[in-house]
Amino acid sequence: GVSVQDGEEQPQSGEEPCFIPGSIYASQDDELTLSTDNIIVSDDAGEYSLKLASSQQPFGDSVTLPDEGGETSIIVSGEHGETTHDVNVVRVAVRESGESGRINVLIMGDSFVGMGAMPCEVKRLVSDVYGFTNVEFVGTRTARSGEDSVMSEGRGGYGFADFLKTDDSQGRGETVPNPYRTQDEVSLKAYFDENGVETPDVMVIYMGVNDLTQYGVGEEDAAEVIAARAGQWLELIGGEYPEARILLCGLVYISDDNGLRDASEFNAQIMRINRAYQSLAESGPLSERLTYVDTASTFDRNANYDVETIVHEDGATETRQTDWIHPSEEGFRKLAQPIAAALAATLGHISDTPS
């Protein structure tokens, strides 16, 4: 397995293959359960067990986080002994006070945004659950889910490398052109100005899985390279929009039923990428206005994908994930929950800050 325990970014044998984020975002009413399946990335995940440090309950394969939120500690027991992980559970309340002026929100990323279900659910939750009626979602592309739609910047198949390239001969060439490139420069602001998109006050970014598949899941330095690309993109857009707050979302894990990828190897890299994203938010140059939003720890990777049953010639059956990377509709809605909660927390801060 690959471990990022205590901030390590390189594979280290003999260490616990576990990542529990420093903060988890949820509404006041969400029940938050962390299971070994969603925080332990190892073929031996079943050998690990969890308990809350404050509880007298025995170790088990999952823990339910406190309803009241706040700081809590989780003890992980496994082949490497017991380790304690501190996590801040951020419970976001429904907004009751009057609204301030309009706030523009940009949701940007790859097909996880472009397919529509996730950003549409974020929009619904922010308005209907958290009570923000003064939010305008901006972008040049319309993401749709059923009868719902939201403006965004979701581009299927894209990664940070595609948004950063200054020449379409780079990377995957003209088949994946950089929409934000003007001659030899890259500028999201110039593109938005040209297309009449208003200045975003908050930018939500979900991206990185295409960088991983293109760079190579088996490459030892994949997480380091992808985090560096993410950092470059954040500095670029952060420089162009110096007042904007940015939410960098972690990536979700694939299921054990995936038919195209080895889940343990792929998820080990996702875990390292998420840990590196969190480090960018904690100590990167934009740390004062950059928030890491973890999605993997509360996303049930073995329940939130569509599956089918494959019958082989010998009569044996196999359950297989029908789309190797994209969640089901319900999975996308589950993915939206921590993102919407973190966005609502950020919107509340903006609304309550005197102008």
Side-chain angles (χ1 to χ4, degrees), residues 289-311:
R289 54 192 176 101
L290 175 62
T291 299
Y292 171 71
V293 183
D294 191 74
T295 61
S297 57
T298 55
F299 180 89
D300 189 339
R301 67 184 182 87
N302 286 321
N304 284 316
Y305 292 93
D306 288 326
V307 296
E308 61 183 348
T309 299
I310 305 297
V311 180

Side-chain angles (χ1 to χ4, degrees), residues 29 93-95 99 120-135 137 148 340 344:
D29 301 324
V94 173
R95 187 160 183 82
E99 299 297 354
C120 284
E121 181 68 358
V122 169
K123 177 183 177 181
R124 185 191 72 81
L125 291 170
V126 165
S127 173
D128 296 355
V129 173
Y130 293 108
F132 286 92
T133 58
N134 62 328
V135 174
F137 288 85
D148 299 322

